[in-house]
């Protein structure tokens, strides 16, 4: 999809898709593309908001390309970990639509606070996919500039980034950067398990009472490592928002169109000064929690198979084929690009140099500190004490 800010329009371009409230079998689930690849013209959310998208053919093809590339690069990272080239990898398999849909709804000025799994959002932000691999290979501490890309560092401490995002969003409002189309909105990603953390609930309170321009984007992938959703909540997660005093909506997180529409609306509300909201992207973690987890020990194969039928990429492909928006040559070309980019990624990972051990002390403080300088000096002398040391 073209970089930039593709809008949500009400222009009707293809005949006869249906309008309805929610998805078949779940009226509260906002869905614009069924698992079979059928388009739904518009959907009315629980608070009466009408969601719709209308992309050009090129934009639809762009979304498909994003989804395929993001999945392929993720698979390559998993393979690299299995071959001992990365220390760990947290795969996004199954969550591509939640991430590409929300990632493409962001405007350039919007700020992102991710977890450790947001490789698809990172990709949409225009960050080189090699960046998180350096982190998981242990050769750097992230590598990208959060201010340049408006995408913060990955956060492994569950839920902590929701507080960072709330403080940042309060600052955005205090600096007078909200209130118009060019206003800045903030989005905080977190998981279903994180909703049980104190940090996340505190973030909800602060964002609510200070009317922070913040979208809480919860990817409910049904598990917190081995703990299933029913160990986190007795009510659908999106309904928690009610108690904190802001709107909540549940979207089909395997539907890239609905995720785009819902996130676009929530971000726009935030940038126009209408405060926070919660999006629950209802999805499924198709792989392991991370490469150090074995999900066969706590979930059954039939559950995974049921979600396979709701695959986020297959439904876009079915739609593009049915509507004759893309042909076999296009799909082959996208596969070819994905293969090329993943080979390129692998080559670059294998060529990553080991860092100078002293870089450990860099970037701890913006302007250094006397104590740290002393420690760097000591560590340097220690390294030099080894026979044949280059230091
Ligand atoms: C404060 C804190 N407690 C515990 C952990 C260990 N931990 C890592 S991932 C995880 C589960 C998170 O589940 P969820 O929020 O659903 O996100 P998902 O991994 O499913 O994307 C836990 C408990 C941690 N990283 N931080
Ligand atoms: Mg989870």
């Amino acid at each position: 999809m073209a970089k930039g800010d593709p809008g949500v329009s009400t222009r009707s371009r293809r005949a006869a898709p249906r309008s309805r409230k929610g998805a078949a079998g779940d009226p509260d689930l906002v869905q614009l593309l069924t698992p079979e690849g059928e388009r739904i013209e518009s959907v009315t959310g629980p608070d009466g908001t009408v969601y719709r998208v209308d992309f050009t053919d090129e934009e639809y093809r762009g979304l498909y390309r994003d989804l395929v590339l993001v999945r392929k690069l993720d698979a390559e990272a998993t393979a690299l970990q299995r071959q001992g080239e990365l220390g760990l990898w947290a795969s996004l398999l199954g969550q591509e639509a939640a991430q590409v849909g929300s990632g493409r709804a962001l405007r350039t000025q919007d700020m992102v606070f991710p977890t450790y799994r947001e490789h698809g959002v990172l990709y949409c932000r225009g960050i080189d996919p090699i960046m998180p691999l350096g982190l998981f290979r242990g050769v750097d501490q992230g590598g990208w500039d959060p201010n340049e890309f408006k995408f913060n560092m990955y956060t492994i401490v569950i839920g902590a980034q929701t507080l960072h995002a709330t403080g940042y969003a309060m600052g955005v409002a205090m600096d007078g950067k909200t209130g118009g189309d060019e206003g800045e909105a903030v989005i905080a990603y977190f998981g279903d398990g994180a909703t049980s953390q104190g940090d996340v609930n505190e973030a909800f309170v602060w964002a609510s009472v200070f009317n922070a321009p913040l979208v809480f984007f919860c990817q409910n992938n049904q598990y917190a490592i081995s703990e299933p959703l029913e160990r986190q909540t007795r009510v659908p997660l999106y309904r928690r928002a009610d108690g904190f005093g802001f709107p909540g909506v549940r979207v089909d997180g395997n539907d890239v169109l609905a995720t785009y529409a819902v996130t676009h609306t929530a971000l726009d509300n935030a940038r126009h000064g209408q405060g926070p909201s919660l999006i629950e992207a209802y999805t499924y973690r198709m792989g392991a929690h991370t490469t150090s987890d074995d999900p066969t020990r706590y979930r059954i194969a039939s559950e995974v198979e049921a979600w396979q039928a709701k695959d986020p990429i297959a439904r876009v492909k079915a739609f593009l084929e049915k509507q004759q928006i893309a042909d076999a040559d296009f799909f082959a070309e996208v596969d070819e690009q994905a293969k090329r980019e993943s080979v390129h990624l692998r080559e670059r990972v294998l060529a990553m140099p080991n860092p100078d051990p002293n870089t450990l002390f860099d970037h701890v403080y913006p302007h250094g500190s006397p104590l740290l300088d002393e420690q760097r000096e000591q560590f340097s002398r220690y390294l030099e004490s080894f026979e044949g040391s280059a230091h």
Side-chain angles (χ1 to χ4, degrees):
M1 173 161 226
K3 303 270 187 294
D5 303 317
V8 176
S9 94
T10 53
R11 188 164 48 94
S12 173
R13 53 180 298 287
R14 279 178 201 279
R18 295 152 294 154
S19 293
R20 67 184 183 204
K21 185 177 183 307
D26 184 353
D28 285 342
L29 189 74
V30 175
Q31 186 181 74
L32 292 171
L33 186 64
T34 70
E36 296 73 36
E38 299 292 341
R39 271 288 270 117
I40 296 154
E41 167 80 11
S42 68
V43 179
T44 307
D47 66 351
T49 304
V50 177
Y51 297 103
R52 69 175 85 223
V53 289
D54 187 31
F55 292 118
T56 63
D57 288 355
E58 197 185 337
E59 286 168 339
Y60 280 124
R61 286 192 294 266
L63 286 172
Y64 176 81
R65 187 184 299 275
D66 286 342
L67 293 167
V68 171
L69 287 175
V70 158
R71 177 173 289 184
K72 181 72 175 169
L73 294 171
D74 181 76
E76 192 62 49
T78 300
L80 282 162
Q81 194 285 332
R82 285 292 181 252
Q83 292 158 15
E85 299 295 345
L86 301 181
L88 183 79
W89 186 246
S91 167
L92 59 55
L93 186 63
Q95 298 176 219
E96 297 87 352
Q99 297 199 13
V100 168
S102 58
R104 286 298 181 209
L106 291 162
R107 297 187 59 168
T108 317
Q109 69 269 28
D110 297 339
M111 181 58 113
V112 181
F113 287 81
T115 73
Y116 41 81
R117 207 185 288 287
E118 265 68 75
H119 323 307
V121 186
L122 175 139
Y123 182 87
C124 292
R125 249 6 213 162
I127 300 176
D128 186 336
I130 194 81
M131 290 298 186
L133 276 72
L135 181 68
F136 284 103
R137 191 171 163 88
V139 297
D140 65 44
Q141 292 158 6
W144 62 88
D145 176 355
N147 288 321
E148 183 186 349
F149 296 101
K150 304 222 68 169
F151 185 93
N152 278 272
M153 306 317 293
Y154 277 2
T155 304
I156 301 207
V157 181
I158 300 299
Q161 74 283 2
T162 60
L163 283 174
H164 307 158
T166 302
Y168 179 91
M170 287 166 63
V172 167
M174 286 172 193
D175 288 346
K177 292 187 190 157
T178 55
D181 285 345
E182 298 314 310
E184 179 174 346
V186 183
I187 189 165
Y189 288 86
F190 54 101
D192 44 293
T195 62
S196 299
Q197 288 288 123
D199 282 10
V200 174
N201 289 271
E202 288 162 22
F204 286 172
V205 171
W206 279 74
S208 175
V209 297
F210 284 94
N211 205 42
L214 178 55
V215 177
F216 290 106
F217 193 94
C218 176
Q219 283 174 87
N220 175 1
N221 64 7
Q222 314 299 327
Y223 286 93
I225 312 185
S226 56
E227 287 296 296
L229 183 66
E230 62 262 25
R231 289 285 170 272
Q232 311 293 344
T233 188
R234 298 291 290 266
V235 299
L237 290 174
Y238 76 95
R239 279 178 40 203
R240 293 248 182 106
D242 259 0
F244 291 94
F246 50 83
V249 61
R250 176 182 272 184
V251 64
D252 182 346
N254 285 16
D255 172 354
V256 69
L257 305 184
T259 307
Y260 177 94
V262 164
T263 313
H264 191 279
T265 299
L267 288 168
D268 256 8
N269 289 343
R271 85 177 78 258
H272 283 98
Q274 291 170 39
S277 56
L278 170 64
I279 295 172
E280 178 190 359
Y282 202 76
T283 181
Y284 194 77
R285 198 196 74 210
M286 293 301 291
H289 168 70
T290 65
T291 44
S292 58
D293 169 47
D294 174 8
T296 62
R297 296 178 65 140
Y298 56 83
R299 66 185 192 187
I300 52 173
S302 59
E303 183 184 293
V304 183
E305 280 160 23
W307 278 92
Q308 198 95 52
K310 301 178 193 171
D311 184 75
I313 302 184
R315 72 177 72 184
V316 179
K317 189 171 190 191
F319 166 69
L320 294 180
E321 282 172 340
K322 266 185 232 177
Q323 297 292 327
Q324 298 182 341
I325 294 173
D327 57 15
D329 285 351
F330 169 78
F331 294 120
E333 183 260 310
V334 171
D335 286 347
E336 202 41 55
Q337 183 188 354
K339 205 165 143 192
R340 231 179 19 250
E341 289 198 15
S342 64
V343 168
H344 186 47
L345 186 74
R346 160 173 293 267
E347 286 168 355
R348 289 190 297 154
V349 167
L350 299 184
M352 272 179 170
N354 283 337
D356 174 347
N358 280 309
T359 55
L360 188 69
F361 298 93
D362 295 346
H363 309 301
V364 178
Y365 297 108
H367 308 296
S369 94
L371 181 63
L372 214 58
D373 290 346
E374 200 185 311
Q375 288 179 357
R376 182 191 283 110
E377 229 2 80
Q378 275 176 7
F379 188 56
S380 218
R381 280 200 302 277
Y382 169 72
L383 292 173
E384 277 163 15
S385 72
F386 288 95
E387 202 179 334
S389 163
H391 294 275

